[in-house]
Amino acid sequence: MSGAQERPLRADAARNRAKLLDTATQVFTAHGVGVPTEEIARAAGVGVGTLFRHFPTKEALLEAVMVRRLEAIAAQAAQLPAESAPAEAFFDCFRLVVEQSAGKNEFAQALAAAGVDAHAALQESSSTIRARLAELLTGAQRAGAVRPELGLPEVIALLVGTTTAMEHLGKDAAGRERVFAVVLDGLRPR
């Protein structure tokens, strides 16, 4: 930018943008990223022109959905230490990240196929989540609730693996809970 400030959205435009992001998140998560933008506009109750004013390409919409998701995870994770003990906060954050990451790989692959570097777009939110997770891990380890030899890289690897496992289980809620039980138990010291 050349120093010009972006004007804030009018209230109705901000509502439309939020509604489009909410709808796109629901539709992409439920039906995959192949859903046409016209269908998302229709489901949000706006015209396709309104969608394209906010998101000039489908990739811009996908990127905005992913950024918003990570920002929501970061905000929720920031609240956890105030709401519960260190061990509970860590395990709640682990579960939150896994549950909110559904479909993230599909989004990232679609963006990569279109030549968009999803990692660059998500770097700030991802860094915030990593920092929060590191703090929660340290607190849970100090409380004796998580294996002391585990570092953040291992916890992130477990998050990625658990998220992938959950995607394979689909809507099998009982199976998902069994996987959570095994993984969370494995994080606890012996």
Side-chain angles (χ1 to χ4, degrees):
M1 288 183 111
S2 60
Q5 291 183 325
E6 287 187 35
R7 289 188 344 205
L9 293 176
R10 293 185 333 249
D12 61 331
R15 278 191 302 274
N16 283 341
R17 186 177 197 285
K19 190 174 190 179
L20 283 164
L21 284 172
D22 289 342
T23 302
T25 299
Q26 292 168 356
V27 171
F28 287 148
T29 301
H31 305 291
V33 298
V35 175
T37 51
E38 293 79 8
E39 191 173 317
I40 291 167
R42 187 172 35 260
V46 300
V48 74
T50 298
L51 185 145
F52 285 123
R53 267 194 301 283
H54 291 284
F55 308 102
T57 65
K58 184 173 186 178
E59 291 76 24
L61 178 59
L62 282 169
E63 184 178 320
V65 166
M66 287 183 70
V67 167
R68 188 175 194 222
R69 262 182 154 171
L70 287 180
E71 287 172 348
I73 292 170
Q76 291 173 344
Q79 296 300 314
L80 292 172
E83 297 171 353
S84 51
E88 187 180 337
F90 171 78
F91 290 118
D92 286 350
C93 185
F94 191 97
R95 182 180 284 271
L96 169 73
V97 170
V98 170
E99 289 173 344
Q100 295 298 314
S101 294
K104 182 180 168 214
N105 289 337
E106 185 183 7
F107 284 34
Q109 290 167 356
L111 289 171
V116 177
D117 183 359
H119 295 293
L122 305 174
Q123 188 170 6
E124 184 177 334
S125 298
S126 294
S127 294
T128 301
I129 292 169
R130 279 188 212 288
R132 181 67 58 208
L133 191 57
E135 292 169 11
L136 293 171
L137 174 61
T138 299
Q141 288 172 322
R142 285 186 185 139
V146 173
R147 293 172 180 246
E149 71 273 15
L150 287 177
L152 187 60
E154 293 92 359
V155 170
I156 290 172
L158 286 167
L159 281 165
V160 171
T162 305
T163 299
T164 301
M166 296 304 185
E167 288 177 359
H168 283 284
L169 287 169
K171 297 187 186 294
D172 179 2
R176 292 168 67 89
E177 283 307 311
R178 285 190 296 274
V179 169
F180 269 128
V182 168
V183 173
L184 297 182
D185 185 53
L187 289 166
R188 290 178 170 78
R190 296 283 163 237

